[in-house]
């Protein structure tokens, strides 16, 4: 019987025929640079509100100022933050999972074992911020697009490694399955 390969007492590869455990590799969101304008709006609204508060001719205008400032902050700061926070990407040892949606959640998955091509596109601003857009395509489904991925080269290398490991395990399991079927 083949013993699992271990690294520091922890198995790195399961024995042939045994399903591998799904482990979390990374969970991330798009780069927070898309919140830059929201941060500027927040600073400007607070500055303008502080300047004009108690300097308006009628006292009820202070309440109107606070209401307008609250509406601007809600619309231009809170909503973009919630939209950004609601989108996440999870990479495990078996698949890539993309979730998005505020009210109703939408989820797409792509399995490493099926294999897919990885395309990376980096514009000028994305290179300055260290981000990029990754497209995953398996040739059957619509491509899975991961926009503004932080540390895009590290994520690209990790995905390529996971495809390789998953295909090696699938090939090994297929070989061990055909060996036991011939006896």
């Amino acid at each position: 019987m083949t013993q699992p390969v271990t690294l520091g007492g922890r198995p790195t590869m399961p024995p042939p025929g045994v399903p591998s455990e799904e482990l979390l590799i990374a969970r991330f969101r798009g780069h927070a640079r898309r919140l830059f304008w929201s941060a500027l709006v927040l600073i400007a609204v607070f500055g303008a509100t502080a300047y004009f508060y108690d300097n308006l001719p009628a006292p009820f205008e202070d309440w109107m100022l606070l209401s307008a400032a609250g509406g601007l902050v809600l619309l231009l700061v809170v909503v973009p933050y919630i939209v950004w926070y609601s989108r996440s990407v999870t990479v495990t040892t078996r698949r890539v999972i993309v979730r998005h949606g505020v009210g109703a959640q939408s989820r797409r998955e792509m399995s490493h074992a099926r294999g897919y091509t990885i395309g990376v596109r980096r514009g000028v601003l994305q290179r300055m911020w260290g981000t990029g857009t990754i497209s995953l395509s398996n040739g059957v489904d619509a491509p899975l697009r991961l926009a503004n991925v932080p540390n895009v080269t590290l994520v690209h290398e990790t995905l390529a490694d996971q495809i390789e490991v998953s295909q090696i395990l699938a090939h090994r399991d297929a070989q061990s399955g055909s060996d036991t079927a011939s006896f």
Side-chain angles (χ1 to χ4, degrees):
M1 176 181 229
T2 307
Q3 294 295 322
V5 178
T6 60
L7 178 64
R10 185 173 177 182
T12 57
M13 290 185 113
V18 175
S20 61
E21 181 181 358
E22 185 171 22
L23 301 172
L24 177 67
I25 294 173
R27 182 174 290 135
F28 57 90
R29 290 177 169 69
H31 197 274
R33 73 183 170 107
R34 71 180 313 176
L35 299 175
F36 174 77
W37 293 109
S38 295
L40 283 181
V41 166
L42 184 67
I43 293 167
V45 166
F46 278 135
T49 304
Y51 178 76
F52 285 115
Y53 191 76
D54 267 349
N55 288 332
L56 297 173
F60 70 90
E61 291 177 347
D62 287 338
W63 287 105
M64 291 173 48
L65 174 70
L66 292 175
S67 298
L72 280 175
V73 167
L74 180 67
L75 187 64
L76 299 175
V77 177
V78 175
V79 170
Y81 176 78
I82 290 172
V83 168
W84 171 80
Y85 194 76
S86 70
R87 298 177 183 183
S88 69
V89 178
T90 304
V91 179
T92 69
T93 54
R94 289 189 189 168
R95 57 196 165 163
V96 177
I97 306 164
V98 178
R99 290 187 180 111
H100 61 87
V102 178
Q105 287 256 332
S106 181
R107 174 179 166 152
R108 282 194 62 196
E109 296 182 11
M110 193 164 287
S111 173
H112 299 309
R114 288 188 64 188
Y116 48 82
T117 59
I118 305 170
V120 177
R121 186 181 81 51
R122 297 180 75 186
V124 175
L125 288 176
Q126 288 178 323
R127 283 195 302 265
M128 284 175 36
W129 288 91
T131 65
T133 300
I134 295 180
S135 297
L136 308 175
S137 176
N138 62 7
V140 178
D141 302 322
L144 187 61
R145 189 171 169 268
L146 312 175
N148 293 319
V149 175
N151 298 322
V152 70
T153 53
L154 179 62
V155 172
H156 175 266
E157 291 171 4
T158 302
L159 290 173
D161 289 345
Q162 287 306 309
I163 292 171
E164 185 177 355
V165 167
S166 293
Q167 290 184 345
I168 288 171
L169 289 174
H171 180 73
R172 184 195 70 181
D173 289 346
Q175 292 297 322
S176 67
S178 65
D179 291 344
T180 58
S182 63
F183 289 115

